[in-house]
Amino acid sequence: MENTLRDRSSDQMSFHVQDRRLILAHLGFAFIAFLIGVVAGLVQALQRTGFITLPSNIGYYQLLTAHGVSLALIFTTFFIIGYLYSGLAKTLGGKLLPSANMVAWIGFYMMVIGTLLGLMMIITNDATVLYTFYAPMQASPIFYIGLALVVVGSWLSGIAIFMNYHHWRKKHPGESSPLFAYMAVATMVLWLICTVGVAIEVLFQLIPWSLGWTDKINVELSRTFFWYFGHPLVYFWLLPAYIYWYVQIPKIIGGKIFSNSLPRLTFILFILYSIPVGFHHQLMEPGVSSFWKFLQVVLTMLVVIPSLMTAFALIATFELAGRSKGAKGLFGWFTKLPWKDVRFVSTFLGMLIFIPAGAGGVVNASFQLDQVVHNTLFITGHFHITIAAAVILTFFAIAYWLVPSLRNRQLTPFANNLGLIQCWIWTIGMLIMSTAMHIVGVLGEPRRTSYTTYNNHPAAEVWEPYRLFTGIGSIILFLSAVLFLINIVYLWFFAPKAESEVDFPIGEVGEEQPKPPAILERWSVWIGITIALVIIAYTIPVIHMAQHAPGSPPIRSW
C-alpha cells in the first residue's frame, strides 16, 4: 500500500504512470541500441583506419551493418517516438488516451521483436548488407521480416500520436493545437509517407526474393524505393531536434517562442520538399534520365528555405531573450545565454555543426560536385555531422532533462557538469573524424570498403594521415558515448529524488503573436499536395524501371 501511494504521489509530480512506463520503455531500448551501435562503430572504424585487425570470425561489413542499423534506424526511431509521446502527454491535457496507449504498446513490442530478429541475423552474419541493405546483396528473410515489423510497429506509434491529436482537436474546435503536438503530427506524417517506399521494397521485392519465390530482383527499382525513404529519413531524425529548438529552447534560455505560425509553416515545407527527392542519392546511377534527377535536385535545394527560416527564428529568439535580460550592443545578447546549462550548450553545439552539414548537403545534391565525392568518405563525413552531430547532440540535451522528468529525479550539478564535458568531447571527436573524412573524400578515398591501401600505391599513401585522425576521432567519440550512458544510468537510478515536479520545458508564445492561419491545420491539403509531388516525381521513372531494368540473382559477397 505504501509503495502504491508513493507511486501515485510521484505520478502527480511528473507523468501518469502508464505514460511514464511507455515512454521509458522506448528510451531504455533506444539507449541499448545506442550502446550496440557505438561499440560496433568503434571497432569498425579502428579496423578501417589500421589501428586493429579483426579476428577471422568477425567481419568489417558485419560491424558496419550493425553500426548503421542500431544507430541510424533503431536508436533514432525509439528515441524519437518516446520523446514525441512525452510532449503530447504534457501539451494535450496531461495524459495520453488509454486507447492510444494500448496501440502504442502494440507498436513498441512489434518494433522490439523486429529489432531482435534483425540483430540476430546480423550477429550470425546472415544480414551483412550494409546500412542501406542494397540489392543484389541478399540477407536472410528473417532480417527483412524483422525490418517489416519495425516499420509497421512505427506506423502504429504514429496512429497513437494521431489519435491523441484528433481527440484534442475535437474537444477544442477552432483552436490552434499546441505547437509541440502540431510538430509531432508533422513528424509522423512525414514518417508514414516516406516509409511506404521501404515497405514496398521489403514486402514485394526483398522478402519474396530472399525466400526463393523469385529468382531475380530489379536492383534499380529496389534502390529507388529505398532512397524514396532514405532521404526523408534524415528529416525524420531532424524534425524532433527542430521541435526542441523551436518549442523548448526558448523556455530554457528564458525567452519566448518567436512565432506561432512560422514553425508550423517550416514543418509543412519540410514535408513537401524532403520526400520526393530520393534521386539525388542516385545521381551516379544509370536507368534514371537526367530530367527526373534534375527535378528532384530542384526540390532538394528548396529544403534550404525552411532551414534558413529556422536559423532566422532561432537567432531572433536568442537575441530577444538576451535583450529582455538587459543585453546591450550588437552582440551583447550572446553573453546572456545559459552557457553552463547542458540542455542548451549541447543543443547549441549541434546547431553550429549543422551549418557545414547543410553546406555539404548542397554539394551532395549538385550534379557536377556529386560526381567528385559520391563514392568517397566525403559522404560518410557529411552523414555523421548531420545525424551524429546536429541530431544526436540535441538528443543528448533532451535525454538529460527528459529522463529525470520521467523518473522524478534531479538534474544535479554533477550530472549537468558531466553532461557538459561529454557533449564537448563528442563535438571535438566528431569534428576531428568528420573533417578528416571530408578532406580524404575529396582526395578520392572510397567509402563502403575496409581495404584502402591498394598495395601502398602512391595515390593511396596520401590518405594515410587522415586515416589516423579518423581513428582518433572515433576513439574520442566512443569515450563521450560511455560518459553519456554513465550519466543516463546515474539520472535513471541514482540521482536524488525531486521534491517537486521536475521541469518539462515548454516555451510560451508571446501575447502579441497572432493566431496561426487555419489552413496550416488542414492536413488533408498538405498530405494531398505531398502525394501529388511524389506522383509527379516518381511515376514515369518507376514505370520505366519496372519495364526495362534488368533483374539480378542474389549475391553473397561475405
Side-chain angles (χ1 to χ4, degrees):
M1 177 65 71
E2 182 180 350
N3 290 336
T4 302
L5 292 175
R6 187 181 298 116
D7 280 347
R8 289 176 180 171
S9 175
S10 63
D11 293 339
Q12 292 172 0
M13 290 192 294
S14 55
F15 289 82
H16 186 273
V17 62
Q18 296 298 330
D19 298 342
R20 186 176 62 197
R21 289 172 180 169
L22 175 67
I23 300 165
L24 285 173
H26 282 81
L27 297 184
F29 198 85
F31 296 143
I32 294 171
F34 180 79
L35 174 61
I36 295 171
V38 296
V39 170
L42 173 68
V43 179
Q44 168 226 329
L46 294 181
Q47 151 72 18
R48 194 183 199 280
T49 53
F51 280 70
I52 64 172
T53 300
L54 292 174
S56 58
N57 60 339
I58 300 178
Y60 169 84
Y61 302 102
Q62 183 181 12
L63 290 170
L64 177 58
T65 304
H67 173 63
V69 170
S70 297
L71 286 181
L73 293 179
I74 304 305
F75 165 68
T76 54
T77 302
F78 276 88
F79 186 92
I80 289 168
I81 292 173
Y83 171 56
L84 296 184
Y85 285 154
S86 72
L88 288 177
K90 283 296 181 181
T91 60
L92 296 183
K95 179 183 176 183
L96 299 177
L97 292 174
S99 56
N101 201 291
M102 180 181 66
V103 173
W105 274 114
I106 296 173
F108 171 78
Y109 286 121
M110 288 183 70
M111 290 194 296
V112 168
I113 293 170
T115 300
L116 295 178
L117 289 175
L119 290 178
M120 181 175 65
M121 292 300 100
I122 295 172
I123 292 171
T124 59
N125 206 22
D126 289 317
T128 303
V129 290
L130 308 189
Y131 155 64
T132 46
F133 41 88
Y134 262 9
M137 292 189 295
Q138 186 186 85
S140 163
I142 296 176
F143 175 77
Y144 297 127
I145 292 170
L147 178 67
L149 287 173
V150 172
V151 171
V152 175
S154 70
W155 289 351
L156 293 179
S157 302
I159 291 172
I161 289 172
F162 299 153
M163 290 170 67
N164 283 283
Y165 173 80
H166 178 69
H167 177 76
W168 188 94
R169 293 275 293 164
K170 284 184 65 177
K171 293 184 65 176
H172 301 81
E175 295 184 30
S176 297
S177 59
L179 188 55
F180 191 112
Y182 181 92
M183 291 175 155
V185 169
T187 301
M188 294 310 294
V189 165
L190 179 144
W191 176 250
L192 264 67
I193 295 175
C194 79
T195 48
V196 169
V198 76
I200 292 173
E201 180 195 11
V202 170
L203 293 176
F204 296 103
Q205 288 190 289
L206 296 177
I207 290 179
W209 178 59
S210 63
L211 288 171
W213 297 347
T214 57
D215 296 329
K216 296 182 179 182
I217 189 169
N218 187 324
V219 174
E220 192 75 48
L221 189 59
S222 72
R223 293 186 180 186
T224 297
F225 282 134
F226 175 81
W227 283 117
Y228 168 84
F229 153 80
H231 189 77
L233 173 64
V234 175
Y235 290 93
F236 175 66
W237 301 329
L238 188 62
L239 291 188
Y242 275 23
I243 294 176
Y244 185 59
W245 298 1
Y246 270 118
V247 179
Q248 298 178 286
I249 282 295
K251 177 68 177 295
I252 290 171
I253 67 174
K256 299 281 188 179
I257 295 175
F258 175 73
S259 169
N260 199 12
S261 299
L262 184 145
R264 299 171 195 261
L265 178 60
T266 298
F267 272 54
I268 291 296
L269 293 179
F270 274 124
I271 295 173
L272 296 179
Y273 297 148
S274 69
I275 294 178
V277 298
F279 282 156
H280 86 248
H281 288 268
Q282 298 172 267
L283 293 179
M284 297 301 103
E285 290 190 17
V288 183
S289 73
S290 59
F291 171 79
W292 297 109
K293 291 178 180 177
F294 175 77
L295 175 64
Q296 296 202 18
V297 164
V298 170
L299 289 173
T300 303
M301 296 303 179
L302 289 175
V303 177
V304 173
I305 296 173
S307 295
L308 292 177
M309 291 167 60
T310 299
F312 168 78
L314 291 172
I315 294 173
T317 300
F318 294 163
E319 180 171 359
L320 291 173
R323 297 200 183 283
S324 70
K325 297 176 183 178
K328 305 294 183 182
L330 187 60
F331 296 107
W333 55 269
F334 194 75
T335 63
K336 299 294 184 179
L337 298 174
W339 295 110
K340 295 183 180 180
D341 189 335
V342 68
R343 301 174 301 170
F344 169 76
V345 173
S346 185
T347 306
F348 187 81
L349 292 172
M351 293 176 182
L352 287 181
I353 297 179
F354 194 60
I355 297 173
V362 173
V363 171
N364 300 339
S366 303
F367 270 111
Q368 293 84 354
L369 296 177
D370 189 61
Q371 294 179 48
V372 178
V373 301
H374 179 75
N375 271 324
T376 73
L377 271 187
F378 184 98
I379 303 298
T380 311
H382 165 73
F383 184 81
H384 277 83
I385 61 171
T386 303
I387 175 179
V391 173
I392 298 303
L393 279 166
T394 301
F395 286 6
F396 289 157
I398 293 170
Y400 281 141
W401 59 260
L402 182 55
V403 170
S405 181
L406 290 161
R407 296 287 295 167
N408 290 311
R409 295 184 184 274
Q410 300 174 26
L411 176 59
T412 61
F414 167 79
N416 182 78
N417 292 334
L418 181 59
L420 288 171
I421 295 170
Q422 178 263 318
C423 70
W424 275 106
I425 292 176
W426 184 274
T427 302
I428 293 169
M430 186 57 63
L431 289 175
I432 292 173
M433 186 182 77
S434 66
T435 301
M437 286 179 171
H438 278 84
I439 295 174
V440 80
V442 174
L443 295 175
E445 181 169 354
R447 58 177 172 144
R448 291 183 177 143
T449 176
S450 65
Y451 182 78
T452 56
T453 59
Y454 296 100
N455 293 323
N456 299 318
H457 190 280
E461 289 181 353
V462 177
W463 307 334
E464 184 60 32
Y466 303 100
R467 194 176 294 126
L468 173 67
F469 282 108
T470 300
I472 292 173
S474 68
I475 294 171
I476 296 173
L477 286 167
F478 181 75
L479 173 61
S480 175
V482 171
L483 292 178
F484 169 71
L485 291 173
I486 289 173
N487 215 1
I488 289 299
V489 170
Y490 167 75
L491 291 170
W492 197 297
F493 296 106
F494 303 110
K497 284 285 187 179
E499 297 180 357
S500 59
E501 183 175 356
V502 180
D503 183 37
F504 189 103
I506 294 291
E508 297 179 358
V509 179
E511 296 179 358
E512 73 283 358
Q513 290 293 329
K515 180 181 177 181
I519 186 65
L520 294 177
E521 301 267 5
R522 295 287 298 275
W523 290 105
S524 58
V525 173
W526 305 116
I527 293 172
I529 295 174
T530 303
I531 293 173
L533 287 172
V534 169
I535 291 173
I536 293 170
Y538 276 101
T539 301
I540 293 177
V542 166
I543 291 174
H544 184 270
M545 291 176 200
Q547 292 176 340
H548 302 290
S552 172
I555 294 175
R556 178 161 177 148
S557 58
W558 67 96

